[in-house]
Amino acid sequence: MTTPPIAYAGACDCHVHIYEDAWPLAPTATFKPPHAPASAYREVRRALGLTRTIVVQPTGYGFDNRCTLSALEQLGPEARGIAVVPLDVADDELERLHRAGIRGVRFMMLAGGLLPWSGLEDMAARIAPLSWNINLQLDGRELPQRMAMLERVPGRLVIDHIGKFLGPTPLDGEAVGALCRLLDKGNCWIKLAAPYETSKSGPPAYGDAVPLARLLAQRYPERCVWASNWPHPNVKPEPSNAALLDWALALFDSEPVRRKLRVDNPAELYGFPLLSAEGFHGPASAQAEPGPRPVSGIRAARRS
């Protein structure tokens, strides 16, 4: 984009990781992350003109969500989180996490992930009464063989990093077709984020990542959200967060759909209060955020 993006109240960064030296890494950690505290991210958010944040539990902390929960407390009511929990997590613990701002469970199917494919469908059914999402990161080339399961997911499904196709993937191929089928269902969202995860041509244009990202942006503007993926661990040189935002915004042809990417779609997905098109709060009835669902509702869903 040739001009600075319009700043909207409620603009959201839908995927960041917080790392604090105070919290020990899990034995399963695959690398030592940088010290990247919530206080440092707050400056990133301010510089980008954002007001809302989704903190995603890093693989390095395993099932210990304390760092993520601490970040939510520090970032305040305009933050939500994605946790990693054992498959046998108690209903009371899910309720506690909901009250703390958690709105999904991360299934990382690459190095460092803890939850298996075999547990995804049951977990999705358990968290659906809370309006949580399954946050899925995988090599997108694996989508065709997982479609039967993913199409049965009863609640919300979010796929990371433009599908993260870790090898050549034609736009008219089976894998991209599978991703589009999921987005067609209406309960799936895609993060237009971290093009450096798959691009071979590199910054600043990430030209080889543009065709797929543009296809998704043009075909599914109401299913796209944006994320910085800050603090970009293991990416050298560190990418510009502002340039990554510009890259994503340039995929869209009009300001109303760019606003959807940053404001409306994240609000719907993560349960933030809705805002009017001018960036001011809309009617009180539209702003009301769903409170924690009763534990009995979760248990009833599990029995059904």
Side-chain angles (χ1 to χ4, degrees):
M1 299 187 62
T2 57
T3 58
I6 296 173
Y8 290 109
C12 187
D13 185 343
C14 293
H15 190 124
V16 307
H17 300 298
I18 300 298
Y19 299 101
E20 296 264 13
D21 290 343
W23 306 108
L25 294 175
T28 53
T30 58
F31 65 93
K32 187 179 189 318
H35 180 61
S39 58
Y41 173 72
R42 193 179 290 112
E43 290 303 307
V44 173
R45 186 170 70 176
R46 181 194 59 77
L48 293 175
L50 308 174
T51 58
R52 292 171 171 172
T53 307
I54 309 302
V55 181
V56 177
Q57 170 76 351
T59 58
Y61 291 125
F63 292 124
D64 182 355
N65 293 287
R66 288 178 296 170
C67 183
T68 293
L69 294 175
S70 173
L72 295 184
E73 185 174 5
Q74 293 176 65
L75 293 171
E78 295 293 87
R80 301 285 187 270
I82 303 297
V84 178
V85 296
L87 296 178
D88 61 354
V89 61
D91 292 328
D92 288 348
E93 175 65 2
L94 293 178
E95 285 291 341
R96 183 186 76 86
L97 292 172
H98 187 86
R99 290 191 295 271
I102 295 298
R103 293 298 182 268
V105 175
R106 188 184 195 198
F107 274 72
M108 172 63 156
M109 316 317 293
L110 301 171
L114 296 179
L115 296 176
W117 282 107
S118 59
L120 188 149
E121 198 170 354
D122 285 346
M123 180 62 73
R126 289 192 64 190
I127 65 177
L130 291 165
S131 296
W132 286 16
N133 66 76
I134 294 290
N135 190 119
L136 178 63
Q137 186 166 148
L138 78 165
D139 180 343
R141 295 175 298 176
E142 194 176 352
L143 281 172
Q145 69 192 77
R146 302 294 180 182
M147 282 299 289
M149 174 195 300
L150 294 175
E151 288 184 310
R152 291 194 301 265
V153 168
R156 303 175 179 196
L157 176 66
V158 183
I159 298 178
D160 281 346
H161 305 343
I162 326 173
K164 200 164 182 174
F165 295 91
L166 295 176
T169 308
L171 294 186
D172 59 355
E174 184 182 13
V176 172
L179 175 58
C180 290
R181 279 168 52 198
L182 290 174
L183 293 167
D184 283 333
K185 288 181 81 264
N187 68 329
C188 181
W189 283 258
I190 185 79
K191 293 178 188 172
L192 299 183
Y196 53 75
E197 294 274 12
T198 55
S199 175
K200 301 298 189 292
S201 60
Y206 303 107
D208 52 344
V210 168
L212 174 58
R214 187 179 297 279
L215 180 151
L216 298 173
Q218 298 290 318
R219 188 178 297 180
Y220 303 105
E222 296 185 350
R223 309 248 65 85
C224 295
V225 296
W226 178 79
S228 68
N229 202 36
W230 186 87
H232 320 285
N234 302 321
V235 181
K236 302 297 180 186
E238 182 176 336
S240 161
N241 297 299
L244 289 171
L245 176 56
D246 283 346
W247 183 88
L249 294 176
L251 301 170
F252 297 87
D253 295 330
S254 69
E255 196 56 40
V257 290
R258 294 185 187 112
R259 186 185 188 280
K260 283 181 178 291
L261 175 77
R262 290 181 287 164
V263 181
D264 302 333
N265 297 347
E268 177 187 357
L269 176 57
Y270 296 105
F272 288 111
L274 300 178
L275 300 174
S276 70
E278 291 77 21
F280 299 101
H281 284 281
S285 60
Q287 295 178 40
E289 180 189 355
R293 306 294 180 88
V295 175
S296 59
I298 298 176
R299 290 173 178 158
R302 292 179 65 188
R303 289 194 297 269
S304 62

